[in-house]
Amino acid sequence: MLQSSDHAALLSEAERLRPNSIASLLDQNPNRVIELTIRGAELTLDASKQLIDEHALKALSDAASGADLAGAFEQLVTGAKVNITEERAALHTLLRGTGASELPALTNEIDETLSRMRAATEAIHSGSHVGASGQRFTDVINIGIGGSDLGPRMVCRALDEVSAQLNTHFISNVDPHDLDVVTRGLNPQTTLLVICSKTFTTEETLTNAQRARSWLTDGGVSEASIGQHVFAVTTNLSAAAEFGIEEKACFPMWDWVGGRYSVWSAIGLVIALGFGWTAFMSFLAGAKAMDEHTRATECTKNIPMMMALLELWNTRYLKTETHLVLPYSQRLEYLADFLQQLTMESNGKRVTLGGEAINEVTAPVLWGSAGTIGQHSYYQLLHQGNRRFSADIVLPLTNGDVDRDAHRKLASNALAQSRALLIGRSAEESQILAADKGLPSELAPHFEMPGNHPHSTLVMDSVNPETVGALIAAYEHKTYFLSVLMGLNAFDQWGVELGKVIGKQIRATLESGEGLNDLDASTAALAAAWREANS
Ligand code: F6P
């Protein structure tokens, strides 16, 4: 946890630096970009457009030492029970081989599961495992929610360029419309389901799994051969068996993998099915390379540590209210959705590990979308609204064999936005612009933009399995380091449980009409309206 002396030093550094402009820091130091650009595992982080300087960086790296980030990472990767409220380790790093020599027994279980996943994937691709009518599979639908959906969904979208072996689809929402739209146009005879649920108790997933099963049987897949079309991934093998999924079609995961950290486990089966075993292995290798970088690199050169320190600096000391993730790649269009769960479910907490109240903000509100789409929507608020924010611009340098001119336009937008966030437009420039437009000078403030918005640029050569693996791992470790700095548990999610409990009660009320009086007046009126509309 952050030491109080480090906290005091950071407060005074923020006080000192706040009046400065990032643009002038860049002007004053010709080496700034070199000094604040760090590399690891095929990713480059350019932090030169953050409101930091040498002294602030020193205070941040002292804070990292004071909180022993390096020691905390060793604890994580060697299986310490960092999730104290569930008394579990959080060993997602082991799933990609990090710490394997320290944990041989678990590694054997992982290897065994990987072998089974590989065999299943290759049997589908070779045509030795076919659908009920003897036809090869063409499509796979992943059914899951939260961590059992967002990671694989994001990665499958990102791997667009890798030649697809099966078309991948995702069903998540309990709203039947989700399933209906996804299955529209698919052939049940050539479609495989992967039901992903760590607990196998999640209402949305079980409801969708049941409906998808009926879709298969309605489409002519007999009850007797339905097993050929369904895989499950879960820690709860007995619940999957009760659901009718045979043991040989179930892939285990373990309670020491958090849902939002589970894309490296059999939860990633859809990635292998969609894009091949080699791609899945490369994805794991990219993450492992980031683990190795994180384990071996000193703080100010360590990408995840620097990302965490910058998030702490911006959120807690420069008082930014929100953090944007802006990938200039359509392939990364689901990155922000994935990171919302990773960041906000992990660190959206209000007590320390010891149960004391945290009076400062913890996780930032994270949002974003693929550039340049956001530019024509909410960037107006970024440039001229009053909100304080930080951002990560994610910039793949190459874009496969696509229209070069369009790719150049995309990259120009990324660089232009980064520069606009930096320099803004001054009062003087706005006066000139107003005059050029023939407008009175009192309208010039409408053209002003403060600029000076702290942001990093995360650069990679291209979006490929290795870089996507490294990117996700970097954000995972950033999230953990932040939790260590804030002294909280990043691996539980008690905040989402209350809604599930109340949801069960209300479902019974919506069905029977009983229990309305036990609800508050507003919820009771809404429940009554729903009953009326559905009577
Ligand atoms: O509702 C939140 C949550 O518990 C997430 O943490 C988890 O990723 C998701 O539900 C799905 O859970 P499961 O994989 O057990 O169905």
Side-chain angles (χ1 to χ4, degrees):
M1 191 167 172
L2 198 61
Q3 303 294 309
S4 52
S5 55
D6 292 324
H7 174 61
L10 287 167
L11 277 176
S12 92
E13 283 301 315
E15 195 64 25
R16 177 183 65 79
L17 262 180
R18 202 170 290 119
N20 281 267
S21 97
I22 305 167
S24 53
L25 293 174
L26 269 161
D27 286 345
Q28 284 155 18
N29 177 3
N31 290 326
R32 181 175 170 88
V33 177
I34 294 171
E35 286 167 9
L36 290 175
T37 297
I38 58 180
R39 294 185 175 78
E42 296 192 43
L43 289 191
T44 299
L45 177 80
D46 172 358
S48 63
K49 293 193 188 98
Q50 295 283 352
L51 187 52
I52 46 170
D53 64 5
E54 206 186 321
H55 293 285
L57 196 58
K58 169 82 174 59
L60 286 168
S61 99
D62 287 348
S65 311
D68 192 17
L69 292 191
F73 195 66
E74 281 308 302
Q75 287 206 309
L76 181 83
V77 300
T78 53
K81 290 195 173 166
V82 287
N83 180 355
I84 56 163
T85 62
E86 296 177 305
E87 300 178 310
R88 291 171 185 169
L91 273 171
H92 41 284
T93 42
L94 189 64
L95 295 168
R96 52 234 189 188
T98 301
S101 54
E102 285 108 322
L103 296 159
L106 294 183
T107 298
N108 284 343
E109 286 184 46
I110 295 168
D111 287 347
E112 201 182 302
T113 304
L114 283 171
S115 303
R116 287 190 53 219
M117 285 168 68
R118 179 180 188 166
T121 303
E122 290 178 350
I124 301 266
H125 292 163
S126 69
S128 67
H129 176 166
V130 290
S133 58
Q135 295 180 69
R136 278 176 177 240
F137 289 106
T138 54
D139 294 83
V140 52
I141 305 178
N142 189 84
I143 300 178
I145 198 162
S148 299
D149 167 72
L150 292 165
R153 186 190 288 260
M154 186 293 233
V155 174
C156 286
R157 178 67 188 91
L159 299 190
D160 196 41
E161 196 173 325
V162 178
S163 62
Q165 313 253 4
L166 296 184
N167 302 312
T168 54
H169 310 270
F170 294 84
I171 297 173
S172 187
N173 199 330
V174 74
D175 184 340
H177 196 62
D178 195 6
L179 183 143
D180 294 346
V181 168
V182 169
T183 52
R184 198 182 288 158
L186 295 185
N187 178 358
Q189 298 290 347
T190 57
T191 301
L192 188 68
L193 308 179
V194 184
I195 303 169
C196 287
S197 177
K198 179 176 169 182
T199 56
F200 226 80
T201 56
T202 304
E203 183 182 68
E204 292 88 338
T205 300
L206 297 188
T207 307
N208 280 324
Q210 202 61 60
R211 288 190 76 233
R213 197 178 195 285
S214 305
W215 174 76
L216 288 179
T217 49
D218 292 350
V221 177
S222 69
E223 279 294 339
S225 49
I226 206 142
Q228 277 168 257
H229 286 251
V230 185
F231 288 136
V233 182
T234 184
T235 55
N236 191 350
L237 298 174
S238 57
E242 262 171 50
F243 191 85
I245 301 168
E246 288 175 54
E247 207 181 319
K248 66 175 196 291
C250 281
F251 295 90
M253 56 187 292
W254 302 273
D255 67 1
W256 41 262
V257 187
R260 52 194 174 273
Y261 298 87
S262 66
V263 64
W264 324 100
S265 71
I267 294 288
L269 182 60
V270 65
I271 303 169
L273 289 166
F275 303 98
W277 189 250
T278 307
F280 186 64
M281 285 290 104
S282 304
F283 171 61
L284 297 193
K288 186 171 188 227
M290 182 52 75
D291 297 341
E292 280 162 4
H293 163 81
T294 309
R295 220 170 171 183
T297 311
E298 57 159 305
C299 168
T300 55
K301 302 284 173 216
N302 187 310
I303 291 179
M305 275 189 203
M306 277 299 287
M307 287 169 78
L309 291 166
L310 289 168
E311 189 165 306
L312 182 83
W313 172 246
N314 285 322
T315 309
R316 204 165 268 197
Y317 298 97
L318 299 181
K319 305 287 181 201
T320 51
E321 295 160 282
T322 175
H323 181 77
L324 284 115
V325 177
L326 306 168
Y328 277 75
S329 164
Q330 196 61 24
R331 292 194 182 95
L332 297 177
E333 68 174 322
Y334 298 137
L335 180 63
D337 300 84
F338 168 75
L339 293 178
Q340 278 184 334
Q341 187 194 11
L342 181 65
T343 304
M344 299 202 277
E345 195 168 77
S346 295
N347 288 343
K349 307 285 168 64
R350 56 194 303 116
V351 293
T352 63
L353 291 171
E356 289 120 25
I358 302 177
N359 296 318
E360 312 254 11
V361 291
T362 48
V365 175
L366 186 147
W367 55 300
S369 60
T372 60
I373 291 166
Q375 289 172 211
H376 296 273
S377 158
Y378 52 81
Y379 275 43
Q380 166 61 35
L381 176 145
L382 303 185
H383 290 300
Q384 288 194 309
N386 285 330
R387 297 258 172 206
R388 285 185 300 272
F389 63 90
S390 57
D392 292 339
I393 291 179
V394 182
L395 178 66
L397 295 175
T398 63
N399 199 2
D401 194 15
V402 294
D403 175 346
R404 243 335 132 72
D405 186 46
H407 175 57
R408 190 178 301 112
K409 287 175 185 157
L410 178 67
S412 319
N413 274 291
L415 302 188
Q417 289 301 327
S418 172
R419 182 161 163 73
L421 290 173
L422 174 77
I423 62 173
R425 186 187 284 128
S426 67
E428 229 171 36
E429 289 165 327
S430 301
Q431 284 295 347
I432 296 171
L433 188 62
D436 283 351
K437 289 178 182 294
L439 292 169
S441 81
E442 57 269 29
L443 290 184
H446 290 268
F447 305 119
E448 284 179 33
M449 293 173 223
N452 212 29
H453 299 292
H455 63 280
S456 299
T457 310
L458 263 166
V459 184
M460 64 194 78
D461 182 46
S462 66
V463 177
N464 62 51
E466 285 88 354
T467 55
V468 173
L471 184 69
I472 299 180
Y475 275 106
E476 283 180 346
H477 301 335
K478 178 212 76 164
T479 302
Y480 174 60
F481 286 138
L482 258 167
S483 76
V484 174
L485 287 161
M486 297 185 293
L488 55 81
N489 181 2
F491 300 108
D492 61 6
Q493 59 283 320
W494 296 104
V496 299
E497 298 304 326
L498 175 62
K500 292 185 192 169
V501 174
I502 300 176
K504 272 203 183 109
Q505 293 161 1
I506 293 192
R507 197 169 66 233
T509 300
L510 292 182
E511 204 175 331
S512 65
E514 283 164 26
L516 280 173
N517 292 339
D518 301 334
L519 300 173
D520 62 274
S522 165
T523 311
L526 293 166
W530 186 91
R531 277 182 55 79
E532 168 87 30
N534 289 280
S535 59

